[in-house]
Amino acid sequence: MPDKWIPQEIEPKWQQRWEASGLYRARIDHSRPKHYALTMYPYPSGDLHIGHWYAMVPSDTRARWMRMRGYNVLFPMGFDAFGLPAENAAIKHKIHPKQWTYANIERMRKQLRSMGAMFDWERECVTCDPEYYRWTQWFFLKLYDAGLAYKKLSPVDFCPTCNTTLAREQVWGEDRHCERCNTLVVKRNLEQWFFRITAYAEELRDFSKLDWPERVVAMQRNWIGERSEGAEVIFRTEQGDHPLPVFTTRPDTLWGATFMVLAPEHPLVAELTTPERRAEVEAYVEQARRLADIMREAADREKTGVFIGAYAINPVNGQRIPIWIADYVLMTYGTGAIMAVPCGDQRDFEFAQKYGLPIPVVVAPRDWDGQPFSQAYEGPGIMVNSGPFSGFPTIGKYRLEEWTPELAQQYGLPAQLTSQNEGRHAVTRWLESKGLGKFAVAYKLRDWLISRQRYWGAPIPMITCPKCGIVPVPYHDLPVLLPEDVEFMPTGESPLKFHAGFRRVQCPRCGGEAERETDTMDTFMCSSWYQYAYMHKNWRAGEPVGPDAIPFDPVEGDYWLPVDQYTGGIEHATMHLLYTRFFTKAMRDMGLVKFDEPMLRLFNQGLILGEDGEKMSKSRGNVVAPDDLVQQYGADVVRGYLMFGFRWEQGGPWSSTGVLGIQRFLERVWNLVLETADLPLTGPDGSEQEAAVRQLQRRQHQTVRKATQDMESFSFNTMIAALMEFTNYLIKARETPVVHTPAWKEAIRTLLLLMAPAFPHISEELWERLGYAYSIHQQAWPEWDPELASEEIITIVVQVNGKLRDRFQAPADISEEEAKARALACAGIKKYLGDQTQFKAIYVPGRLVNLVTG
Ligand SMILES: [Zn+2]
Ligand SMILES: [Zn+2]
């Protein structure tokens, strides 16, 4: 009897040996193809939950498999360590966010190691390390230098009771209340930093170089929105002559713009509002602050607004037009101001009707009778009352390349239209020539707001000088260290604002007294470049860097980049996965990388639910803790169940009995391998033995084929099912003399190799006990021979009432059902069966089918 399998003993032993021997250190090796496998790094919440395991274990299994197939595999791990939870925990438990975060990281490192994954810990990155965020700040400066970072007034959610700005996830419910005190939140305007991701909108809509799930591609396309072409036109205010740039897709309707609408948060509202309108305007602004953007934009909501008493000048005809505010215009969209053309836009039409504003006609259908419109006309037509352009045909929202003879006929307009004689294009060119506007393109995508009024993040490396204005921190002064002695309890302002030692700084330009930016960066900024940071460990540590530095070791980067296989949750479809693509494209344009996309292939795993089928949560009491499971069953069992119990992309409810099934499977493998390890070889003996060996090899090669195909397609559940079937087959076969042949040893060896990626500990232990050299994880994945995997072909005879009438060829393992169906389909038996529909079919396995009538 072999000793018992005790995973709690063998697993830590192997984990230590792997670490000590540097088994998973990824080193450049030009003799092998490289494979950069990346799984999303965790936030250090302090506890590795089953969702982390579910994401990481199959990723590890596949990375191990690629390694066995001859690839030089890099599989790194790190921590996304800045962010709000650390601050909240600190406020709750009166412990410093830094202390809280690093203690959690320490704990999670241990938990991650218990998984037995092939992470290369030498490359670990922690985004709150100054050596890491120095480069995050470096990226900020590079984007600023490239004209891709700018500051603008923008609203944030604010809780008047807690006196603090809130992150999106801290605003709860349809009534938008504060997560902490239930007070209804309001909007407040702050000067904030944005990245010009919209500059790459067109390219970000192109997925031709990516092998990504269709669902993620669709979500990103929808997030970015369709390209809409038009013009940016500058209106000016009558009082104060402030420029009000407006984007319009219909510059051909400019002569019909009879009022302007600003977002209630627009910075000019307070200044432009006349004293007699002030009370009403302020009440309206107050009310709009309370509404969520999504409600304000809802199409079916009645549009409301207030005249602020001020006027703008329509640049094309010099007309005074009233300025209104309305909550359906958002500050975050474009410039926060729109021109309203009631005759050409139904929403503007209804607004004009409701408030008694003029509705002159400027684009009319061909057969217009000259009467006032009863609703807006948005289609192609003829420009009227439009100064030098009256009489021009216009194609409305169509693009020139879409303009067909059929459309021309439908609208009664010329078929031959060009940018010279078509109204919308001609007006744009005219605006450009007069300096009143320019051609512009817009998307639904907004620029990326990266300012956070929070403590636990990377400080934005900018300085404001009363003399020089905004001045970037010089590159060689990075990092701008986050001070530790900060009061981070909520005050309504960025905590760094109250740290005089941090805030006050000498202006790098004039040497005078200046102030640092006190907001910190969105943590999505840290994760936009972390795949590069893994090539970076200790790269130029401590040395000052300039604008021409490279944020990773260039030799490492040349070899490993870009990421070949990325894995992670679908919840990152739009933000993280879009931001990191933006970063990579900007890096390419800075000459830092030569490729266009950061992660070539992506796979999204599903979600593990509680045993009750509900989302796991402490309050429901359905949380499955991986630490407990590892203690009870060992990591290999947990790994195996997470891959066998679910289709990876789907997930599903946890099952305790399912875990036991994997435990039994591994016990059976353990006993089978050890109990047949030392049997004497007696060799093949006679033809029956030969057939048995042939059968054993067939099963082995079929299993290799199945496991290989399943690994390729991320079908871990069916891969493990194939290993179980093979094991069951071997358990039966061990009762036969085949157990004494070299083929048996080969079959067992193959089983262990196939198990190695999914069950790294037990396979390593058995490998060693069978006397093979360390390590199983440095062996090649088994090959399958199509010849040996093919089924033996046999001849089956078909009888009708006991008399031989036909025969057919079939694989030896044909099922009874299939054999009977094939027999009935034989051409030779038709005439013997005649009209008989009542008969019995008897199958003698591997030999004959007898059809008995009557
Ligand atoms: Zn509150
Ligand atoms: Zn200065």
Side-chain angles (χ1 to χ4, degrees), residues 825-844:
C826 280
I829 64 147
K830 291 268 159 64
K831 59 182 171 195
Y832 299 103
L833 281 179
D835 298 335
Q836 295 277 358
T837 51
Q838 297 290 315
F839 52 82
K840 225 165 61 185
I842 299 155
Y843 178 54
V844 181

Side-chain angles (χ1 to χ4, degrees), residues 159 161-162 166 178 180-183:
C159 172
T161 305
C162 300
L166 299 175
C178 168
R180 259 186 253 135
C181 70
N182 296 329
T183 306

Side-chain angles (χ1 to χ4, degrees), residues 5-18 53 113-116 629-631 633-639 666 759-762 765:
W5 165 54
I6 304 174
Q8 293 81 354
E9 280 172 20
I10 65 164
E11 291 182 352
K13 179 186 79 179
W14 284 114
Q15 286 160 16
Q16 278 157 26
R17 175 124 182 235
W18 294 332
W53 273 70
R113 281 168 196 273
S114 77
M115 197 181 280
L629 292 165
V630 170
Q631 208 159 35
Y633 303 105
D636 280 342
V637 170
V638 184
R639 291 174 64 103
L666 293 182
F759 308 99
H761 308 90
I762 190 172
E765 176 75 16

Side-chain angles (χ1 to χ4, degrees), residues 242-371:
H242 297 286
L244 284 171
V246 160
F247 174 78
T248 173
T249 55
R250 295 292 304 274
D252 51 320
T253 64
L254 262 166
W255 283 261
T258 51
F259 56 101
M260 282 197 81
V261 186
L262 304 185
E265 305 85 357
H266 197 286
L268 282 178
V269 169
E271 187 173 336
L272 294 175
T273 301
T274 52
E276 60 274 18
R277 305 291 308 152
R278 191 162 300 278
E280 199 183 337
V281 167
E282 278 174 1
Y284 187 81
V285 170
E286 195 52 41
Q287 187 195 335
R289 279 173 155 191
R290 287 275 318 112
L291 288 170
D293 292 355
I294 190 147
M295 281 181 62
R296 288 170 55 171
E297 279 184 306
D300 53 353
R301 212 173 129 253
E302 190 175 338
K303 306 293 179 277
T304 60
V306 175
F307 174 47
I308 66 169
Y311 289 85
I313 305 299
N314 186 335
V316 298
N317 56 13
Q319 238 169 45
R320 290 176 88 214
I321 60 175
I323 301 177
W324 287 60
I325 53 171
D327 60 15
Y328 67 86
V329 178
L330 299 180
M331 200 56 219
T332 44
Y333 182 62
T335 58
I338 61 164
M339 67 176 209
V341 181
C343 79
D345 179 292
Q346 189 56 28
R347 191 175 62 179
D348 294 346
F349 188 93
E350 285 163 17
F351 195 91
Q353 253 189 343
K354 180 170 174 182
Y355 294 106
L357 294 156
I359 309 179
V361 174
V362 291
V363 171
R366 182 97 244 182
D367 55 4
W368 179 47
D369 56 6
Q371 294 303 302

